[in-house]
Amino acid sequence: METLWKVENLRKVYEIKSEFKREKIVALKDINLEIYKGEIFGLVGESGSGKTTFGKVIIKLIEPDEGRIIYKDTDITNLPERILRKYRRNFQIIFQDPYKSLNPRLPCGVTVMEGIIGSKKEKFEKAVEILNMVGIKKERFYNFPHQFSGGERQRIAIARALSTEPEFIVCDEPTSNLDVSIQGQILNLFIELKEKFNLTYLFITHNLKIIRFLADRVAIMYKGEIVEIGKTEKIFESPKHSYTEKLLKSEI
Amino acid sequence: MNIFVRLRKRNFISYISLYIIIFLYSLAILADFISPYPYNKQFRDTPLCPPTKINFFDKNGKFHLRPFVYEYKLVNPSLNKYEIDRNKICPIYFFVKGERRKILGLFPSRRYLFGVKEGKIFLFGTDMHGRDIFSRVLYGARISLSIGIIGVLISFFLGFLIGGISGYFGGKIDNVLMRLVEIFMMFPSFYLMLALRAVFPLNLSSFQVYLLIVIILSLIGWAGLARIIRGMVLSIKEEEYVLSAKALGIPTFRIIFRHIIPNTFSYSITAITLSIPGYILGESTLSLLGLGIQEPYPSWGNMLSVCIGNLRILSNAPWMLIPGFFIFLTIICFNFLGDGLRDVCDPKNW
Amino acid sequence: MGKILEIKNVVVGNEEIKILRDISFEVEEREIISIVGESGCGKSITLRTIIKLLPQNLNILSGKIFFEGLEITKLKEKEMQNIRGKKIGMIFQEPSSFLNPLFTIGNQIEEGINEKVEKDKKKERVIKILEEMGLSYNVYYQYPHQLSGGMQQRAMIAMALINNPVLLLADEPTTALDVTTAFGIISLLKNLILIHNLSIIFVTHDISLAKYLSDRIFVMYAGIIVEKGPSIEVYNSPLHPYTQKLINCLPEKYNKGEKIKTIEGEVPSFKNLPLGCPFSPRCEIKNKICEKRIPPEIKIGNRIVRCFKYGNFMES
């Protein structure tokens, strides 16, 4: 299997400064892992375990403090933003809250157009095509985010991510703010798009049911560390780490 | 839907305010044409003359289609007592001929919008030098209303630039710029205003003083604004839609102008309209202290300043306070307009 | 077992919209009821109707609510205050926004004690209930920000139960919590009904959680309770087409790579509800009558369903 991402000894420390004290919070503690091309890699952990930070660090939306991030054969850890910009189109991110991840002052079609390269007409036609693919009709091209429902906004966020024709998408809890019936639609869409565009996902969630349904491999994160990593079925059948056990037991 | 329609639907008071403001500004622009007399024309024989009444019926009860005024005669100069001479009817005409001047400094003309051929017309009365207050209010509007707009533009330019840079890049730049802002904010603005004015010589021309006041007021105004813009930029740049834009590989300046700045509008548009009154008042304060626009050129502020501490004027000639009413009207309209614009500029309300 | 709460044909709304339409149910002693539905179906409004804390623009238009045999629909605000907090407790999704950051937990719980007792006795009682919630003695002296989300929720429950109410209304209390923490809270609630002689109405969007926790499930859709019945029966063999489809949306019902059968269309907004059964626009087995009339409650064994599919309506 072709390795798409290789992460070595990744470390990120947040410093909280206030008038009275300085606190250091270790968000990522020496993370090592590989993500293969074409797989859905699940990342599970509770809030504050550093899973969202990892999703942002791997595509360099946040700078890591130590360690290396290797995309295909390129070490992108210390690339200047100028050069990194060319790579950025290859990996995209979809956030949890579709109410926050769309610019409230841009019509949705325009948001999608931003990622497309070409003449104005090409941009428009491509954006219409992508929006149509995720189930948003052309008539609503110039509607603003607040005119869409939560599920529709998440579709627009997916369309924006697809607009650069990426090969890797970080999905940061993309369904946890959605209703069950909408969640099903979005999960179907993810699977459909993966097959169509040969995508690789890093799927971050705390919902074990989704992981079991979706992920090929899974990593369990606890307090900034990856405590267990492996094939999904294997981890769900015979968890090794005590935290994983506790997690699986809590599943209702 | 354009902004006017939206404003009317959303917030009717601010819609009306907008029209009042437009009306006031057009009065200021057309001051040379509308005002019946030049701002510095003195009628020495009628100081502190009360506002002239416009009549349609003469003393015999006869109706005149063309409105007319009576002549006012000063009967007791020491008590400023006027008597109306009801025998002499002075009809009001449109486009009367008067002294030659250039409208907007461009078109030479002798025609005035309205006026009387004999006698005098003082819609708002006269001041102690016998100058027509109505004309002076119109000329004064030029100063008072433009000072707000120009001052706001300068201070918002500075505020957006410095606050934006500070918030977006953060780190050392932020530190240095914010300390600079704090230095400006540290001084009480009133004394800073006085001090800055004191640095410059007193015998400047009206235009130089005007420029000076605008600069002084914007220098005081930008700091607070920069701080708030910085705070907003700081929080907006962490928003997920900005991160997404970054992930799309959009260049930095485009992110700032397309995703960050427009999202500060909900605040900044209100702030812009709400700070215009501050400039008008600032100019008035300086003028009140005799440091603003100098006589004979009028501004609303220096017209009011004459009344301060002069009880005789306040009790005998209350029409001298009319410029104050215009300041009040402008400020309240800008306040309503600010409220309305904030609603209208938010796509959620469309 | 006696009835604690009885709601009869309650309609809530205003001149323009009806949020709740013809809601009726009973709550027995020591029973856990779950109201399940998607966002905007009116499940939170149902809870707020029971304690008469509706948003300003909404009113109870018709119907009756009996609490311990007393009709509370007619009670004045002052009399309601004696029931709220004392007889009916309530907990919410975001405990952090319901705890005052400026006072200690102990302080805030003590404040809720209604009887006039000495300070020491109050403190004793608060500490006892905190310990019952699985919190340590120290929490009494701590401020809300010093507690984790799970601990805050436990403190909220302690606050709701300090006056030994007979009914606890829980509005998605575990939604904002992590899986392991949520599990702790759920287990706690299950134990509480035995110790405190308590009934719980639990509002959630998670039907698996409802099945695990509660005795009976009410499924709500667009302001109507479409199905009522014992949890396991509702979950395993749902009667109403909506419940069937909702359960079919759950990813745990599918193997990897399968396509999830979703519900087409969207939840109708309260401003333009369909004339008949609110689910009819998305229903695959709808009939002419479904679009004209709202189905009545049809009793099938110990379950109640509102669908024309059952009974002899389809032919007519």
PDB file of all heavy atoms in Angstrom, chain B residues 47 75 90 105 111 135 142-143 148 167 192 197 218 234-235 241 272 281-282 295:
ATOM      1  N   PRO B  47     -29.020  94.453  14.395  1.00  0.00           N
ATOM      2  CA  PRO B  47     -28.381  93.378  15.157  1.00  0.00           C
ATOM      3  C   PRO B  47     -29.422  92.645  15.989  1.00  0.00           C
ATOM      4  O   PRO B  47     -30.395  93.245  16.452  1.00  0.00           O
ATOM      5  CB  PRO B  47     -27.382  94.109  16.054  1.00  0.00           C
ATOM      6  CG  PRO B  47     -27.951  95.473  16.213  1.00  0.00           C
ATOM      7  CD  PRO B  47     -28.742  95.766  14.979  1.00  0.00           C
ATOM      8  N   VAL B  75     -36.180  99.871  17.469  1.00  0.00           N
ATOM      9  CA  VAL B  75     -36.682 101.094  18.094  1.00  0.00           C
ATOM     10  C   VAL B  75     -35.878 101.470  19.325  1.00  0.00           C
ATOM     11  O   VAL B  75     -35.714 102.623  19.647  1.00  0.00           O
ATOM     12  CB  VAL B  75     -38.176 100.967  18.466  1.00  0.00           C
ATOM     13  CG1 VAL B  75     -39.026 101.016  17.221  1.00  0.00           C
ATOM     14  CG2 VAL B  75     -38.441  99.707  19.270  1.00  0.00           C
ATOM     15  N   CYS B  90     -43.207  93.497   1.960  1.00  0.00           N
ATOM     16  CA  CYS B  90     -42.076  93.115   1.107  1.00  0.00           C
ATOM     17  C   CYS B  90     -42.303  91.700   0.594  1.00  0.00           C
ATOM     18  O   CYS B  90     -42.067  90.747   1.328  1.00  0.00           O
ATOM     19  CB  CYS B  90     -40.761  93.163   1.864  1.00  0.00           C
ATOM     20  SG  CYS B  90     -40.564  94.606   2.884  1.00  0.00           S
ATOM     21  N   GLY B 105     -18.029  77.966  -6.052  1.00  0.00           N
ATOM     22  CA  GLY B 105     -16.748  78.476  -6.512  1.00  0.00           C
ATOM     23  C   GLY B 105     -16.537  78.320  -8.004  1.00  0.00           C
ATOM     24  O   GLY B 105     -15.433  78.490  -8.504  1.00  0.00           O
ATOM     25  N   ARG B 111     -28.190  85.275  -9.237  1.00  0.00           N
ATOM     26  CA  ARG B 111     -29.497  84.809  -8.783  1.00  0.00           C
ATOM     27  C   ARG B 111     -29.369  84.073  -7.452  1.00  0.00           C
ATOM     28  O   ARG B 111     -28.462  83.295  -7.239  1.00  0.00           O
ATOM     29  CB  ARG B 111     -30.111  83.837  -9.800  1.00  0.00           C
ATOM     30  CG  ARG B 111     -30.304  84.448 -11.169  1.00  0.00           C
ATOM     31  CD  ARG B 111     -31.602  85.188 -11.231  1.00  0.00           C
ATOM     32  NE  ARG B 111     -31.688  85.948 -12.487  1.00  0.00           N
ATOM     33  CZ  ARG B 111     -32.651  86.800 -12.742  1.00  0.00           C
ATOM     34  NH1 ARG B 111     -33.600  87.012 -11.850  1.00  0.00           N
ATOM     35  NH2 ARG B 111     -32.677  87.461 -13.887  1.00  0.00           N
ATOM     36  N   SER B 135     -28.432  82.013   6.672  1.00  0.00           N
ATOM     37  CA  SER B 135     -27.334  81.858   5.717  1.00  0.00           C
ATOM     38  C   SER B 135     -26.109  81.249   6.386  1.00  0.00           C
ATOM     39  O   SER B 135     -25.436  80.384   5.833  1.00  0.00           O
ATOM     40  CB  SER B 135     -26.950  83.209   5.126  1.00  0.00           C
ATOM     41  OG  SER B 135     -28.082  83.807   4.559  1.00  0.00           O
ATOM     42  N   ARG B 142     -21.374  73.346   5.926  1.00  0.00           N
ATOM     43  CA  ARG B 142     -20.272  72.846   5.103  1.00  0.00           C
ATOM     44  C   ARG B 142     -19.122  72.373   5.969  1.00  0.00           C
ATOM     45  O   ARG B 142     -18.556  71.311   5.752  1.00  0.00           O
ATOM     46  CB  ARG B 142     -19.775  73.964   4.187  1.00  0.00           C
ATOM     47  CG  ARG B 142     -20.736  74.259   3.085  1.00  0.00           C
ATOM     48  CD  ARG B 142     -20.127  75.258   2.161  1.00  0.00           C
ATOM     49  NE  ARG B 142     -20.839  75.242   0.892  1.00  0.00           N
ATOM     50  CZ  ARG B 142     -20.560  76.056  -0.112  1.00  0.00           C
ATOM     51  NH1 ARG B 142     -19.584  76.933   0.001  1.00  0.00           N
ATOM     52  NH2 ARG B 142     -21.230  75.971  -1.221  1.00  0.00           N
ATOM     53  N   ILE B 143     -18.776  73.177   6.951  1.00  0.00           N
ATOM     54  CA  ILE B 143     -17.690  72.806   7.851  1.00  0.00           C
ATOM     55  C   ILE B 143     -18.101  71.625   8.712  1.00  0.00           C
ATOM     56  O   ILE B 143     -17.480  70.565   8.718  1.00  0.00           O
ATOM     57  CB  ILE B 143     -17.343  73.985   8.795  1.00  0.00           C
ATOM     58  CG1 ILE B 143     -16.892  75.186   8.003  1.00  0.00           C
ATOM     59  CG2 ILE B 143     -16.315  73.561   9.817  1.00  0.00           C
ATOM     60  CD1 ILE B 143     -15.544  75.055   7.412  1.00  0.00           C
ATOM     61  N   GLY B 148     -17.024  65.732   9.832  1.00  0.00           N
ATOM     62  CA  GLY B 148     -17.365  64.383  10.279  1.00  0.00           C
ATOM     63  C   GLY B 148     -16.940  63.346   9.260  1.00  0.00           C
ATOM     64  O   GLY B 148     -16.245  62.379   9.576  1.00  0.00           O
ATOM     65  N   GLY B 167      -3.836  42.707  14.299  1.00  0.00           N
ATOM     66  CA  GLY B 167      -4.591  41.497  14.609  1.00  0.00           C
ATOM     67  C   GLY B 167      -4.171  40.319  13.760  1.00  0.00           C
ATOM     68  O   GLY B 167      -4.048  39.206  14.247  1.00  0.00           O
ATOM     69  N   LEU B 192      -5.580  66.445  24.972  1.00  0.00           N
ATOM     70  CA  LEU B 192      -4.754  66.172  23.807  1.00  0.00           C
ATOM     71  C   LEU B 192      -5.152  67.111  22.662  1.00  0.00           C
ATOM     72  O   LEU B 192      -4.314  67.681  21.966  1.00  0.00           O
ATOM     73  CB  LEU B 192      -4.952  64.706  23.379  1.00  0.00           C
ATOM     74  CG  LEU B 192      -4.093  64.235  22.223  1.00  0.00           C
ATOM     75  CD1 LEU B 192      -2.620  64.256  22.587  1.00  0.00           C
ATOM     76  CD2 LEU B 192      -4.496  62.832  21.808  1.00  0.00           C
ATOM     77  N   ARG B 197      -3.705  71.570  19.380  1.00  0.00           N
ATOM     78  CA  ARG B 197      -4.073  72.844  18.770  1.00  0.00           C
ATOM     79  C   ARG B 197      -3.088  73.933  19.187  1.00  0.00           C
ATOM     80  O   ARG B 197      -2.722  74.797  18.388  1.00  0.00           O
ATOM     81  CB  ARG B 197      -5.502  73.219  19.189  1.00  0.00           C
ATOM     82  CG  ARG B 197      -6.009  74.532  18.628  1.00  0.00           C
ATOM     83  CD  ARG B 197      -6.123  74.468  17.114  1.00  0.00           C
ATOM     84  NE  ARG B 197      -6.505  75.761  16.529  1.00  0.00           N
ATOM     85  CZ  ARG B 197      -5.620  76.705  16.182  1.00  0.00           C
ATOM     86  NH1 ARG B 197      -4.330  76.503  16.358  1.00  0.00           N
ATOM     87  NH2 ARG B 197      -6.039  77.837  15.642  1.00  0.00           N
ATOM     88  N   SER B 218      -8.989  63.200  13.895  1.00  0.00           N
ATOM     89  CA  SER B 218      -8.780  61.818  13.460  1.00  0.00           C
ATOM     90  C   SER B 218      -7.642  61.174  14.224  1.00  0.00           C
ATOM     91  O   SER B 218      -7.652  59.970  14.458  1.00  0.00           O
ATOM     92  CB  SER B 218      -8.540  61.698  11.963  1.00  0.00           C
ATOM     93  OG  SER B 218      -8.650  62.894  11.321  1.00  0.00           O
ATOM     94  N   LEU B 234      -8.526  39.473  15.328  1.00  0.00           N
ATOM     95  CA  LEU B 234      -7.900  38.403  16.099  1.00  0.00           C
ATOM     96  C   LEU B 234      -8.834  37.216  16.253  1.00  0.00           C
ATOM     97  O   LEU B 234      -8.434  36.067  16.110  1.00  0.00           O
ATOM     98  CB  LEU B 234      -7.531  38.960  17.479  1.00  0.00           C
ATOM     99  CG  LEU B 234      -6.324  38.390  18.190  1.00  0.00           C
ATOM    100  CD1 LEU B 234      -5.087  38.573  17.342  1.00  0.00           C
ATOM    101  CD2 LEU B 234      -6.123  39.100  19.524  1.00  0.00           C
ATOM    102  N   SER B 235     -10.111  37.506  16.525  1.00  0.00           N
ATOM    103  CA  SER B 235     -11.027  36.382  16.716  1.00  0.00           C
ATOM    104  C   SER B 235     -11.517  35.831  15.382  1.00  0.00           C
ATOM    105  O   SER B 235     -11.679  34.633  15.226  1.00  0.00           O
ATOM    106  CB  SER B 235     -12.196  36.784  17.612  1.00  0.00           C
ATOM    107  OG  SER B 235     -13.043  37.650  16.920  1.00  0.00           O
ATOM    108  N   TYR B 241     -14.062  29.409   8.825  1.00  0.00           N
ATOM    109  CA  TYR B 241     -14.110  29.741   7.405  1.00  0.00           C
ATOM    110  C   TYR B 241     -12.829  30.400   6.931  1.00  0.00           C
ATOM    111  O   TYR B 241     -12.481  30.303   5.759  1.00  0.00           O
ATOM    112  CB  TYR B 241     -15.349  30.562   7.038  1.00  0.00           C
ATOM    113  CG  TYR B 241     -15.581  31.822   7.828  1.00  0.00           C
ATOM    114  CD1 TYR B 241     -14.906  32.996   7.528  1.00  0.00           C
ATOM    115  CD2 TYR B 241     -16.489  31.834   8.867  1.00  0.00           C
ATOM    116  CE1 TYR B 241     -15.137  34.141   8.240  1.00  0.00           C
ATOM    117  CE2 TYR B 241     -16.729  32.982   9.586  1.00  0.00           C
ATOM    118  CZ  TYR B 241     -16.043  34.133   9.274  1.00  0.00           C
ATOM    119  OH  TYR B 241     -16.272  35.277   9.985  1.00  0.00           O
ATOM    120  N   ILE B 272     -18.804  53.687  12.417  1.00  0.00           N
ATOM    121  CA  ILE B 272     -18.555  54.831  11.530  1.00  0.00           C
ATOM    122  C   ILE B 272     -19.664  55.866  11.700  1.00  0.00           C
ATOM    123  O   ILE B 272     -19.406  57.032  11.967  1.00  0.00           O
ATOM    124  CB  ILE B 272     -18.485  54.371  10.055  1.00  0.00           C
ATOM    125  CG1 ILE B 272     -17.157  53.665   9.805  1.00  0.00           C
ATOM    126  CG2 ILE B 272     -18.625  55.554   9.111  1.00  0.00           C
ATOM    127  CD1 ILE B 272     -17.030  53.072   8.425  1.00  0.00           C
ATOM    128  N   LEU B 281     -19.175  67.314  17.175  1.00  0.00           N
ATOM    129  CA  LEU B 281     -19.089  67.873  18.518  1.00  0.00           C
ATOM    130  C   LEU B 281     -17.674  68.337  18.834  1.00  0.00           C
ATOM    131  O   LEU B 281     -17.477  69.363  19.482  1.00  0.00           O
ATOM    132  CB  LEU B 281     -19.530  66.834  19.552  1.00  0.00           C
ATOM    133  CG  LEU B 281     -21.025  66.539  19.595  1.00  0.00           C
ATOM    134  CD1 LEU B 281     -21.315  65.442  20.578  1.00  0.00           C
ATOM    135  CD2 LEU B 281     -21.791  67.794  19.955  1.00  0.00           C
ATOM    136  N   GLY B 282     -16.689  67.574  18.369  1.00  0.00           N
ATOM    137  CA  GLY B 282     -15.284  67.942  18.613  1.00  0.00           C
ATOM    138  C   GLY B 282     -14.975  69.300  18.024  1.00  0.00           C
ATOM    139  O   GLY B 282     -14.363  70.163  18.664  1.00  0.00           O
ATOM    140  N   GLU B 295     -13.931  83.373  13.101  1.00  0.00           N
ATOM    141  CA  GLU B 295     -14.789  84.382  12.503  1.00  0.00           C
ATOM    142  C   GLU B 295     -14.019  85.082  11.374  1.00  0.00           C
ATOM    143  O   GLU B 295     -12.802  85.168  11.438  1.00  0.00           O
ATOM    144  CB  GLU B 295     -15.136  85.453  13.558  1.00  0.00           C
ATOM    145  CG  GLU B 295     -16.033  84.951  14.652  1.00  0.00           C
ATOM    146  CD  GLU B 295     -17.508  85.090  14.290  1.00  0.00           C
ATOM    147  OE1 GLU B 295     -17.787  85.702  13.239  1.00  0.00           O
ATOM    148  OE2 GLU B 295     -18.337  84.573  15.026  1.00  0.00           O
TER     149      GLU B 295
END
